[in-house]
Amino acid sequence: MTKLSVNINKIATLRNARGGNVPDLMKVATDIQKFGAHGITIHPRPDERHIRYQDARDLKQIVYTEYNIEGNPQHNFIDLVLECKPTQVTLVPDAIGAITSNAGWDTIKNQSYLAEVIREFQRNGIRTSIFVDPIFEMIEGAKSSGADRIELYTEAFAHEFSLGNLKGIEPYAKAAIFANELDLGINAGHDLSLDNIEFFKQNVPNLLEVSIGHALICESLYLGLDNVVNMYLQKLK
């Protein structure tokens, strides 16, 4: 079975919007694991607009499944990862002001830097994945950098799927076969949802893990609204 790691950034966004500790990020992470998810993903950014660095430290104490920390390997991020020692670190080339991830690494141009960072993480027993587009050269670069896995950036697939173009899966299927030939593990994430995840899973061989946050949280809000609204109505009778 492909593992599901739930990205809880949006829970932190909701908490930060009001101040205080509602929703309680630690309780949500605990419950998500209790409900059966295989892991928890966070993506702290330098401005801490959703996940705070202290959240990463606190989560270390309660995540008993796989713990995945994503981010751009700048100095503060590297220090945080080495302190928390998660199961996996996923390197993402975010610009400082980026709203969300919007591109994979150029693993050729950045190979020496990525290799240096990866060696440091691996010395500390942390599995390392590199966020890449489904391009053979970038996958080869990830292998040369010493990564254990790649995470395929799936926004293009999700967009094509929403338009009814099922052939949008082809670059990802081919990329997965190529990565397997290089002995790289395969993760995937970005805009995967209940609508497209089954098709993606069926067509991408040896998919080890997906990281899903925005869609899963939005779907949870909507699919839970009927229940919660009616609970309020019962209380107000």
Side-chain angles (χ1 to χ4, degrees), residues 51-62:
I51 292 292
R52 300 165 181 155
Y53 275 35
Q54 188 57 46
D55 291 331
R57 300 182 182 102
D58 294 342
L59 284 163
K60 176 65 178 175
Q61 308 306 314
I62 62 138

Side-chain angles (χ1 to χ4, degrees), residues 35-52:
F35 298 154
H38 305 101
I40 298 294
T41 290
I42 59 170
H43 189 147
R45 287 183 166 86
D47 61 5
E48 298 186 281
R49 65 179 180 268
H50 33 62
I51 292 292
R52 300 165 181 155

Side-chain angles (χ1 to χ4, degrees), residues 114-224:
L114 289 169
E116 179 183 355
V117 172
I118 289 167
R119 283 194 298 270
E120 181 64 21
F121 288 146
Q122 290 175 340
R123 276 196 294 267
N124 284 270
I126 303 166
R127 185 174 73 228
T128 305
S129 177
I130 297 182
F131 196 62
V132 294
D133 294 294
I135 300 169
F136 281 20
E137 291 80 3
M138 298 303 111
I139 296 169
E140 279 186 312
K143 177 65 176 179
S144 298
S145 299
D148 301 295
R149 295 187 183 184
I150 56 169
E151 179 173 326
L152 292 170
Y153 172 41
T154 50
E155 181 180 16
F157 156 74
H159 176 69
E160 292 300 321
F161 187 89
S162 71
L163 299 176
N165 178 18
L166 301 185
K167 289 187 176 181
I169 194 64
E170 291 178 0
Y172 295 88
K174 292 174 182 177
I177 292 168
F178 183 65
N180 272 291
E181 290 172 351
L182 296 178
D183 198 29
L184 282 168
I186 302 162
N187 299 339
H190 204 89
D191 288 351
L192 296 176
S193 68
L194 284 175
D195 291 334
N196 60 38
I197 188 64
E198 185 174 14
F199 181 79
F200 189 85
K201 156 70 176 173
Q202 289 172 343
N203 288 276
V204 176
N206 299 314
L207 181 63
L208 297 176
E209 175 185 294
V210 293
S211 174
I212 304 179
H214 183 78
L216 187 148
I217 300 304
C218 291
E219 289 158 351
S220 299
L221 287 171
Y222 185 77
L223 294 173

Side-chain angles (χ1 to χ4, degrees), residues 64-116:
Y64 56 86
T65 56
E66 290 206 350
Y67 188 20
N68 175 45
I69 301 181
E70 300 180 342
N72 193 322
Q74 299 170 346
H75 291 300
N76 288 347
F77 178 84
I78 292 172
D79 290 343
L80 179 71
V81 171
L82 292 175
E83 179 184 349
C84 293
K85 288 187 169 58
T87 318
Q88 176 176 268
V89 59
T90 302
L91 306 182
V92 183
D94 286 336
I96 289 177
I99 295 175
T100 187
S101 306
N102 55 20
W105 281 98
D106 182 335
T107 58
I108 306 301
K109 180 179 178 181
N110 297 285
Q111 188 168 127
S112 60
Y113 178 63
L114 289 169
E116 179 183 355

